[in-house]
Amino acid sequence: MNKSAFVLITLAALASTSSLALAQSSDGVLTVATIGEPPTLDVMQTPTDIVLTIDQHIFETLYTYDAQWKSVPLLAAGMPTLSEDGLTYRIALREGVTFHDGSAFDAKDVTASLKRWMAINSKGKQVAAIVESLTEDGDHAVVIKLKSRYAPLLATLSQASVIMPSEKLADTLTEFVGTGPYALKERKPDQYTRLVRFEGYKSPEGEVSNYAGKREAIAREIRFVPVPDANTRVEGLISGQFDYADSLPVSAYERVEQSGNAKPVIFKDAGWASMNMNMKEGLLVKKELRQAVQAALNPNDMMLAAFSEDRFFSVDASIFPKGSFWHTEAGVARYGEGDPEAAEKLLQQAGYDGTPLRLMTSRQYEFHYKIGEVAKAYLEAAGFKVDLQVVDWATLTTRRADPKEWDIFITHSNFPGDPTTINTITDTYPGWYVSDQKAKAVAAYMDATTDEAKKAAWDGIQTVIYDDAPLYKVGNFNAVSGLANGVSGYEPTYWPHFWNVSPKK
């Protein structure tokens, strides 16, 4: 097997030393090479990394994440006022904010947008189940009344719950109008998505911290260009065609560094790779077979194949990395060198009949594909028959919504500020992880009121995740991206953003 590997993820490149205070609007254009064409710009429908990366420039949420991944105000005027029982949130809204179409942002837009989000988004649906009412309190505040405590509410409201004009909302969006620093000007599928500076933008206050703080649309225009081939992104960056290239191959690190035209950067623990299992239909509805998958796999070999050198990855059974408040070894089981005998025993207990295991992956994220190749070999050694299905990323995100189409898909995620916002914990996320013991463990977390109680509850959640086996954590990865020389003000974030960034002169 070819063990040269590629790191393809959507975390960006180079922190700038220039001061935002010195930045001025520019007539320049930033050309951003992405890993592919977004399947949609409706982030409520499809909150994947590529959609989030583009959409965050167009749309804004009530809250966003600071450098500690804590939720802080964005369109909200401040942190919510809570009732004594923790069930009622009153959220004041910023005044004087306008949408790209010139209409004023108000409470009606918030309630309408959040109701759509709760109807169609996987995390929104989870929130909807515990919302008693969502109402306007005048033009500049909304009130959310809950049926029960919900500790991750603000963290959940910080992603994909974008606010749009109530008049523009529809089951299928035809206009993409937000309050963000950039407005959608033109989209030519498979060519580019073109955003232009919104001259009427009103920035939040505060120091820049991850996605929080002051936002300034310095570049006149941002063009997101889909470039599925990783080496083409590298060549375009080095030649000056691209100002930023997402998700570069590890093998190109030195070449970019020595080019004199661009700089690469490694970021530690950018995210984690996982194999998500279908608990709703098909082969893996049996827990013993999901546990057999766990027992069969060797995470170090998968990560080595995917990332080439251990400076680009780490293997850690804890879902959160070392140094994180949420790091724990609680409940870890069937994680290590791969145990084909233990896996074979679980296969026999489950009465495995040789039905092929459909393992779905994509080459647009080359490390997903490499993980899939090694996983296939270990699973077959344990006695599974494996059907490795390699599709483009847009197809994978569409197909994984149908439980009849797959058994395992490979993906990656960042490390969220609240552990219960991990996709797999959501009942409706593809994989459909539903179990009584998970529900009890999550309920304990929701009732926690202190950090210590939350940590203890998270230990319980990780324990049942290992027992139920809705996913297999492969490992933590670092990331390589590239930024052209002369571009200043860029600050690395998981979903790379380009407000506060000055183009080359």
Side-chain angles (χ1 to χ4, degrees):
M1 177 178 295
N2 180 3
K3 299 235 173 170
S4 66
F6 299 91
V7 181
L8 294 174
I9 65 118
T10 56
L11 183 64
L14 189 66
S16 166
T17 58
S18 66
S19 169
L20 179 61
L22 300 177
Q24 295 179 342
S25 295
S26 164
D27 286 334
V29 175
L30 289 170
T31 303
V32 177
T34 67
I35 61 102
E37 175 69 15
T40 178
L41 292 182
D42 186 350
V43 71
M44 290 188 188
Q45 291 275 15
T46 310
T48 57
D49 284 341
I50 184 62
V51 180
L52 284 159
T53 295
I54 296 173
D55 271 30
Q56 65 185 334
H57 298 81
I58 304 170
F59 302 107
E60 294 177 317
T61 48
L62 292 178
Y63 295 91
T64 192
Y65 301 115
D66 69 6
Q68 285 75 46
W69 287 87
K70 295 179 181 177
S71 295
V72 296
L74 181 53
L75 286 174
M79 298 303 286
T81 302
L82 268 67
S83 59
E84 282 190 23
D85 60 8
L87 298 179
T88 301
Y89 289 65
R90 184 184 185 276
I91 301 173
L93 306 176
R94 287 169 53 208
E95 299 184 34
V97 174
T98 58
F99 289 102
H100 301 150
D101 64 359
S103 61
F105 159 76
D106 62 21
K108 185 180 295 185
D109 303 309
V110 174
T111 56
S113 296
L114 292 185
K115 285 174 182 177
R116 182 179 189 267
W117 171 71
M118 288 190 292
I120 68 173
N121 180 270
S122 59
K123 290 177 181 175
K125 289 176 181 177
Q126 188 175 22
V127 171
I130 52 92
V131 169
E132 181 176 303
S133 64
L134 169 61
T135 57
E136 297 137 31
D137 183 6
D139 290 337
H140 303 295
V142 295
V143 176
I144 303 173
K145 291 186 178 180
L146 305 180
K147 300 173 185 175
S148 57
R149 288 183 181 178
Y150 191 72
L153 180 63
L154 295 191
T156 310
L157 286 173
S158 300
Q159 180 183 324
S161 56
V162 296
I163 308 303
M164 294 176 272
S166 57
E167 299 83 4
K168 305 292 185 184
L169 293 171
D171 291 341
T172 301
L173 295 180
T174 57
E175 295 183 68
F176 298 87
V177 178
T179 58
Y182 287 89
L184 177 64
K185 181 67 175 179
E186 183 182 21
R187 183 185 178 197
K188 289 193 173 183
D190 299 317
Q191 295 185 50
Y192 58 80
T193 300
R194 180 183 170 208
L195 310 185
V196 295
R197 181 167 57 222
F198 174 38
E199 300 294 351
Y201 180 66
K202 185 172 182 180
S203 172
E205 299 297 324
E207 293 185 6
V208 174
S209 176
N210 204 16
Y211 301 98
K214 185 177 180 182
R215 298 180 171 193
E216 185 177 359
I218 299 172
R220 173 177 53 84
E221 182 177 314
I222 306 172
R223 288 197 178 203
F224 293 93
V225 180
V227 186
D229 182 75
N231 292 319
T232 303
R233 291 198 295 278
V234 173
E235 296 304 321
L237 177 69
I238 290 173
S239 70
Q241 181 182 0
F242 306 132
D243 298 298
Y244 172 83
D246 198 13
S247 308
L248 299 186
V250 169
S251 57
Y253 183 91
E254 286 79 8
R255 183 155 185 264
V256 173
E257 188 175 43
Q258 296 167 10
S259 70
N261 295 325
K263 297 175 184 177
V265 171
I266 295 175
F267 291 102
K268 184 174 173 57
D269 294 331
W272 56 294
S274 64
M275 299 171 61
N276 286 43
M277 305 192 217
N278 185 348
M279 294 178 59
K280 190 173 186 178
E281 292 189 36
L283 195 62
L284 297 183
V285 296
K286 292 184 178 181
K287 181 192 286 191
E288 293 88 352
L289 290 182
R290 298 194 302 273
Q291 292 183 342
V293 170
Q294 290 177 318
L297 297 172
N298 183 309
N300 192 72
D301 281 1
M302 287 190 285
M303 294 299 283
L304 184 62
F307 298 106
S308 184
E309 301 177 41
D310 59 11
R311 67 169 172 165
F312 296 120
F313 73 89
S314 61
V315 169
D316 184 0
S318 172
I319 291 177
F320 282 81
K322 291 178 181 177
S324 165
F325 177 76
W326 304 108
H327 184 273
T328 179
E329 296 295 326
V332 171
R334 295 173 296 280
Y335 187 90
E337 296 302 310
D339 188 340
E341 292 182 0
E344 185 178 12
K345 185 176 180 180
L346 286 162
L347 288 177
Q348 292 173 351
Q349 290 175 2
Y352 177 60
D353 62 3
T355 300
L357 183 70
R358 296 164 298 175
L359 173 56
M360 188 166 57
T361 190
S362 170
R363 293 204 79 146
Q364 279 171 277
Y365 292 106
E366 188 73 8
F367 74 103
H368 291 189
Y369 172 70
K370 294 293 186 180
I371 287 170
E373 281 189 316
V374 178
K376 179 176 186 291
Y378 272 95
L379 290 167
E380 288 177 339
F384 280 103
K385 289 184 179 178
V386 180
D387 175 15
L388 183 64
Q389 300 180 357
V390 183
V391 298
D392 63 82
W393 184 244
T395 299
L396 186 148
T397 58
T398 300
R399 189 180 292 178
R400 72 183 182 186
D402 185 348
K404 294 180 172 62
E405 291 290 320
W406 60 279
D407 297 305
I408 297 175
F409 74 87
I410 296 172
T411 190
H412 68 270
S413 307
N414 67 328
F415 296 104
D418 189 293
T420 59
T421 63
I422 292 172
N423 285 329
T424 303
I425 293 178
T426 306
D427 291 357
T428 54
Y429 183 75
W432 302 278
Y433 177 25
V434 177
S435 80
D436 289 341
Q437 64 173 349
K438 184 201 81 167
K440 291 177 182 177
V442 171
Y445 182 93
M446 296 304 173
D447 283 340
T449 56
T450 66
D451 284 346
E452 292 75 15
K454 285 184 178 181
K455 178 61 167 57
W458 167 243
D459 287 354
I461 293 173
Q462 180 170 288
T463 298
V464 300
I465 286 174
Y466 265 94
D467 183 62
D468 283 333
L471 61 79
Y472 183 88
K473 180 187 174 180
V474 186
N476 305 330
F477 56 80
N478 305 330
V480 178
S481 296
L483 192 72
N485 291 346
V487 177
S488 63
Y490 184 82
E491 295 288 343
T493 50
Y494 180 77
W495 301 289
H497 65 267
F498 301 95
W499 58 81
N500 302 342
V501 177
S502 298
K504 294 178 291 188
K505 294 182 179 177

